[in-house]
């Protein structure tokens, strides 16, 4: 090879080589649980060379255990896959190698396949590792799996700043894939729960205490609650209660932010001392200041407006409780209970499959409501419509939220009754899914019909429904 020819070959950067080694190991372990000796030894050399612990390569070590031994790494996992771009546009190759090692750890712990029966300890460890992955993506633990937190960087359905992908490029930016990653995490978790001997775990208080409530676990508990008794039933109820309370706290904050309401200037302020606007009163009467007597004569007192536009409203929530709508059933039951606690909002809750159940007496308590649900079965919305229509006493002050995938038996009959509600002046909101992940399938026939009616289907994050209800409640 001549010197001229050799000059055309770019020099290989050592950090690029290190990063490629780590990513090839990641891919190899994801598709084949068997170790590749060469990749393992090369990866160990890279990790030790950049000053990271060898435990990052141990498939039996959870992220929690690594962080407990090396607490300085905790901050590096936060936002790991949503790194801030360099101000001058240059790449910090050494930092990319470090991120590659950390990202490989959390990705392998979450996505590497395992077989056999799952123990409560293994499920708890996976849930913890999934929480670290969510933190790495700029979210809060539990958010992507239909859980308890709120988006931090990425928002309800958006992505974080792209940083490139590929084995030879910078750290993969999975933030743009959040809508796909969330359902995938939920699917993996659901599979782990199904492979666990849940009844035996619930019967043992020590094992049950290791479980972390999640949407997948709550779904299994709700499906199996009629087969539980004694200690197992008590532990199941405690897990459901924990999950409901955690999600309620998050949703209540969202609802309170959306339903404060604007000041109603048409209502005169109450002339009481606590509403006195002292600063404005002094300012408006400064022309009456008597310098000789050093006294301010007040011609008029000014008061603050405190009245907000709050007219009595009726909220009717109809939820499909068939097997495909579990996530929406849980979220909307909790949401209905929050609205039931707001002043001047009259909430009615109906659940249905092939039969309808009026859950209004328990609408204020999502825990009791969920215990009365019966998940699974077919779908016949006309039975729910028979309960909902008589509740519409004043259409102009009524909103009907109908949550379903709309795969119905009597499609034309149901749609005509829904269109009649819309024409009556009531606000009709069809919802295809109210989840944290946003995944949901909606009958295309109904989707087109609702679009033509002027009431398009909402499908996605639960914040979308809260936003739709904001105008109605204020």
């Amino acid at each position: 090879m001549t010197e001229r020819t050799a000059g055309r070959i770019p020099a290989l950067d050592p950090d690029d080589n290190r990063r490629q080694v780590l990513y090839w190991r990641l891919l190899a372990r994801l598709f084949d649980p068997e170790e590749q000796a060469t990749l393992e030894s090369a990866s160990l050399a890279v990790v030790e060379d950049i000053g990271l612990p060898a435990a990052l390569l141990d498939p039996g070590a959870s992220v929690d255990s690594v962080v407990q031994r090396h607490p300085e790494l905790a901050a590096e996992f936060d936002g790991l896959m949503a790194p801030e771009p360099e101000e001058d546009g240059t790449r910090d190759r050494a930092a990319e190698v470090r991120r590659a090692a950390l990202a490989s750890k959390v990705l392998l712990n979450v996505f590497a396949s395992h077989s056999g029966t799952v123990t409560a300890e293994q499920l708890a460890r996976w849930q913890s590792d999934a929480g670290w992955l969510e933190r790495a993506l700029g979210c809060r633990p539990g958010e992507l799996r239909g859980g308890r937190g709120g988006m931090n960087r990425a928002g309800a359905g958006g992505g974080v700043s792209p940083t490139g992908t590929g084995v030879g490029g910078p750290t993969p930016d999975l933030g743009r894939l959040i809508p796909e990653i969330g359902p995938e995490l939920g699917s993996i978790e659901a599979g782990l729960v199904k492979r666990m001997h849940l009844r035996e775990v619930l019967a043992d208080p020590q094992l049950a205490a290791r479980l972390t409530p999640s949407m997948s676990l709550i779904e299994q508990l709700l499906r199996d609650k009629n087969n539980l008794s004694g200690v197992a039933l008590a532990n199941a109820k405690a897990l459901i209660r924990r999950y409901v309370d955690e999600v309620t706290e998050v949703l209540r904050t969202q609802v309170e932010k959306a339903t404060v309401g604007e000041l109603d200037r048409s209502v005169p302020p109450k002339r009481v001392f606590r509403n006195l606007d002292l600063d404005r009163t002094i300012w408006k009467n400064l022309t009456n200041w008597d310098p000789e007597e050093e006294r301010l004569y007040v011609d008029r007192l000014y008061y603050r407006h405190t009245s907000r536009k709050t007219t009595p409203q009726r909220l009717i929530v109809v939820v499909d409780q068939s097997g495909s709508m579990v996530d929406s059933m849980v979220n909307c039951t909790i949401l209905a209970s929050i609205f039931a606690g707001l002043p001047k909002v009259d909430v009615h809750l109906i659940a249905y499959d092939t039969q309808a159940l009026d859950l209004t007496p328990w609408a204020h308590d999502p825990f009791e409501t969920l215990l009365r649900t019966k998940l699974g079965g077919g779908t016949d919305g006309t039975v729910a419509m028979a309960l909902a229509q008589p509740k519409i006493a004043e259409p102009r002050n009524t909103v009907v939220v109908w949550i379903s995938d709309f795969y119905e038996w009597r499609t034309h009959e149901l749609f005509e009754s829904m269109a009649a509600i819309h024409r009556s002046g009531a606000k009709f909101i069809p919802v295809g899914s109210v989840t944290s992940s946003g995944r949901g399938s909606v009958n295309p026939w109904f989707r087109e019909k609702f679009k033509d009616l002027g009431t398009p289907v909402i499908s996605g994050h639960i914040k979308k429904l809260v936003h739709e209800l904001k105008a109605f409640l204020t």
Side-chain angles (χ1 to χ4, degrees), residues 80-268:
L80 174 68
M81 298 177 190
E84 298 295 335
E86 298 293 332
E87 293 184 1
D88 58 1
T90 59
R91 289 170 53 191
D92 186 343
R93 287 179 167 82
E96 288 174 2
V97 177
R98 193 174 181 88
R99 285 200 297 268
L102 296 171
S104 295
K105 175 59 180 174
V106 70
L107 288 172
L108 278 175
N109 278 26
V110 172
F111 290 107
S113 60
H114 299 284
S115 59
T117 303
V118 175
T119 65
E121 185 175 4
Q122 287 173 327
L123 177 63
R125 172 191 149 170
W126 184 91
Q127 290 174 325
S128 174
D129 287 334
W132 282 104
L133 173 60
E134 289 164 320
R135 290 171 61 170
L137 289 168
C139 307
R140 296 178 185 174
E143 169 65 19
L144 298 184
R145 289 166 283 151
R148 304 159 293 284
M151 284 280 186
N152 184 8
R153 295 189 184 195
V160 290
S161 302
T163 58
T165 58
V167 172
T171 303
D173 170 31
L174 301 182
R176 291 178 296 178
L177 301 178
I178 281 177
E180 289 75 28
I181 291 176
E184 185 62 27
L185 289 177
S187 177
I188 294 174
E189 185 174 35
L192 294 173
V193 171
K194 289 179 180 178
R195 285 159 47 199
M196 184 172 60
H197 295 163
L198 188 55
R199 294 181 191 177
E200 288 80 355
V201 171
L202 292 172
D204 186 331
Q206 290 185 338
L207 293 178
R210 298 179 183 177
L211 297 176
T212 300
S214 64
M215 182 59 70
S216 298
L217 183 59
I218 297 307
E219 176 181 348
Q220 287 298 111
L221 294 176
L222 291 175
R223 290 184 185 278
D224 204 34
K225 65 181 185 296
N226 292 331
N227 299 316
L228 301 175
S229 61
V231 175
L233 181 59
N235 286 329
K237 288 183 176 181
L239 286 166
I240 296 172
R241 172 69 77 180
R242 277 176 57 194
Y243 185 79
V244 165
D245 289 346
E246 290 170 0
V247 177
T248 298
E249 189 61 32
V250 174
L251 292 183
R252 181 180 287 114
T253 301
Q254 296 176 8
V255 171
E256 288 174 351
K257 289 180 180 179
T259 58
V260 171
E262 297 179 356
L263 288 174
D264 190 349
R265 301 288 179 181
S266 66
V267 179

Side-chain angles (χ1 to χ4, degrees), residues 401-419:
V401 178
W402 196 292
I403 302 103
S404 175
D405 54 14
F406 299 100
Y407 284 94
E408 295 282 342
W409 289 356
R410 292 181 273 189
T411 56
H412 294 274
E413 180 181 346
L414 179 59
F415 176 76
E416 286 304 318
S417 58
M418 292 174 170

Side-chain angles (χ1 to χ4, degrees), residues 308-343:
R308 298 185 183 274
K309 294 181 179 179
T310 54
T311 56
Q313 307 284 10
R314 174 164 290 189
L315 172 61
I316 302 173
V317 180
V318 183
V319 188
D320 176 354
Q321 64 174 356
S322 63
S324 60
M325 298 298 295
V326 176
D327 200 340
S328 292
M329 180 73 209
V330 173
N331 278 289
C332 286
T333 297
I334 295 171
L335 189 61
S337 73
I338 295 170
F339 281 115
L342 295 178

